[in-house]
């Protein structure tokens, strides 16, 4: 049995068209609106910089639903929604214009047709549950056996712990480590991270940057190129 891990953002998803203002408006509309929207917006920016800045430094992860719930409490906006519901409201407005990369379905079909176990491993403040809903909306959720979000385990790539979780999940499908492959666009988070835990990897490197430290097993600028390399293997 073979297995492949996929990063999501800029590996399969285009990450374009995100709209924070509209997402905050959607959130605001689920409150009692007892203060002006502009206050919510300014406090969001301040609180976001503080919380997400700290997470970036120590490679921990912010849980968006909890973040939004605390934010509303701090500024005195009241809502009947719990943290999970607040996250869902914000997230689906935020990504309403998101799409998938041109060859995303091509590479997913390649692995699905060969009966690979496919698991997403994403650095995201969004829960795996909502990530999967978003992927379903884009027509690619059906390809995945599981989705692992850093939000669920509070740790971000390239930390070893998130890769350890991913490896154990993949092993539960009877995939040996030597038959696992990690595909991602981020040289440090995805490629160094997988290299450090001895998983073969693919650097989806559309900008054709140099593999300075030799972390990449495969270095490709397109999925057509990757398929050609894997087919010749």
């Amino acid at each position: 049995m073979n297995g492949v891990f996929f990063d999501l953002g800029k590996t399969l998803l285009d990450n374009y068209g995100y709209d924070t203002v509209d997402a905050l408006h959607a959130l605001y509309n689920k409150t009692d609106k007892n203060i002006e929207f502009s206050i919510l917006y300014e406090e969001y920016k301040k609180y976001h910089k503080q919380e997400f800045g700290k997470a970036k430094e120590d490679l921990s992860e912010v849980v968006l639903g909890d973040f939004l719930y605390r934010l509303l409490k701090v500024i005195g906006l009241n809502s009947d929604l719990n943290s999970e519901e607040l996250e869902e409201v914000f997230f689906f407005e935020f990504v309403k214009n998101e799409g998938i990369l041109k060859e995303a379905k091509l590479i997913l079909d390649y692995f699905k047709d060969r009966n690979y176990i496919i698991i997403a491993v994403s650095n995201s403040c969004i829960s795996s549950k909502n990530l999967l809903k978003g992927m379903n909306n884009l027509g690619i959720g059906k390809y995945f056996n599981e989705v692992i979000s850093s939000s669920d385990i509070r740790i971000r790539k390239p930390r070893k712990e998130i890769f350890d979780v991913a490896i154990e999940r993949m092993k539960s499908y009877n995939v040996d480590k030597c038959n696992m492959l990690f595909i991602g666009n981020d040289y440090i988070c995805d490629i160094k991270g997988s290299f450090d835990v001895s998983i073969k990897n693919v650097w989806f490197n559309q900008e054709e940057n140099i593999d300075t430290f030799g972390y990449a097993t495969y270095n490709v600028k397109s999925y057509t190129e990757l398929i050609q390399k894997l087919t010749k293997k």
Side-chain angles (χ1 to χ4, degrees):
M1 184 68 74
N2 297 304
V4 58
F5 301 106
F6 274 97
D7 171 54
L8 292 177
K10 298 184 181 179
T11 298
L12 294 175
L13 308 181
D14 64 20
N15 282 180
Y16 295 134
Y18 290 164
D19 198 324
T20 301
V21 174
D22 280 0
L24 281 173
H25 271 295
L27 187 72
Y28 184 70
N29 288 335
K30 296 297 183 180
T31 72
D32 59 5
K33 302 181 183 178
N34 67 343
I35 61 174
E36 295 294 325
F37 173 79
S38 59
I39 297 175
L40 170 62
Y41 181 56
E42 291 304 318
E43 289 299 313
Y44 169 86
K45 289 192 293 183
K46 182 172 69 176
Y47 202 28
H48 186 280
K49 183 177 181 180
Q50 173 186 319
E51 293 270 318
F52 284 80
K54 180 180 180 300
K56 187 176 181 180
E57 287 178 4
D58 62 13
L59 294 177
S60 62
E61 187 58 89
V62 176
V63 178
L64 182 64
D66 294 345
F67 167 82
L68 295 173
Y69 187 85
R70 292 194 304 270
L71 174 64
L72 295 185
K73 290 296 183 185
V74 166
I75 64 177
L77 277 171
N78 301 302
S79 174
D80 293 331
L81 302 186
N82 61 33
S83 60
E84 292 180 4
E85 293 165 334
L86 292 171
E87 177 183 287
E88 188 168 0
V89 167
F90 184 98
F91 173 63
F92 286 105
E93 187 65 25
F94 183 67
V95 299
K96 62 185 177 183
N97 296 315
E98 185 176 51
I100 60 173
L101 296 178
K102 183 174 65 173
E103 294 187 330
K105 287 188 177 179
L106 176 69
I107 194 63
L108 288 168
D109 280 329
Y110 175 86
F111 287 115
K112 199 69 172 178
D113 289 347
R114 287 157 180 77
N115 298 313
Y116 274 65
I117 301 300
I118 305 177
I119 296 178
V121 185
S122 178
N123 274 353
S124 178
C125 61
I126 308 299
S127 68
S128 56
K129 177 181 175 182
N130 281 328
L131 284 180
L132 181 57
K133 287 181 182 178
M135 292 157 66
N136 285 334
N137 290 345
L138 293 169
I140 62 171
K142 63 185 179 182
Y143 291 96
F144 289 85
N145 297 84
E146 289 193 36
V147 177
I148 299 171
S149 172
S150 55
S151 172
D152 295 336
I153 57 178
R154 313 295 176 93
I155 291 170
R156 294 174 62 83
K157 298 175 290 186
R159 280 180 58 175
K160 180 178 180 292
E161 293 95 329
I162 190 169
F163 286 96
D164 288 342
V165 169
I167 290 166
E168 289 306 310
R169 298 275 185 88
M170 190 66 84
K171 283 182 176 178
S172 72
Y173 293 92
N174 297 315
V175 179
D176 292 333
K177 191 175 179 181
C178 62
N179 293 324
M180 298 178 191
L181 184 67
F182 196 104
I183 301 178
N185 74 293
D186 190 292
Y187 188 63
I188 299 301
C189 292
D190 301 318
I191 306 311
K192 182 181 186 300
S194 54
F195 176 87
D196 285 345
V197 294
S198 302
I199 299 177
K200 290 177 289 187
N201 60 50
V202 176
W203 187 15
F204 183 56
N205 180 17
Q206 291 182 295
E207 296 179 359
E208 298 184 75
N209 293 316
I210 297 171
D211 181 6
T212 306
F213 299 101
Y215 295 140
T217 309
Y218 300 98
N219 184 351
V220 301
K221 63 180 179 181
S222 72
Y223 287 130
T224 297
E225 181 185 356
L226 174 60
I227 289 170
Q228 291 172 346
K229 289 188 175 185
L230 293 175
T231 303
K232 291 177 181 177
K233 192 175 63 169

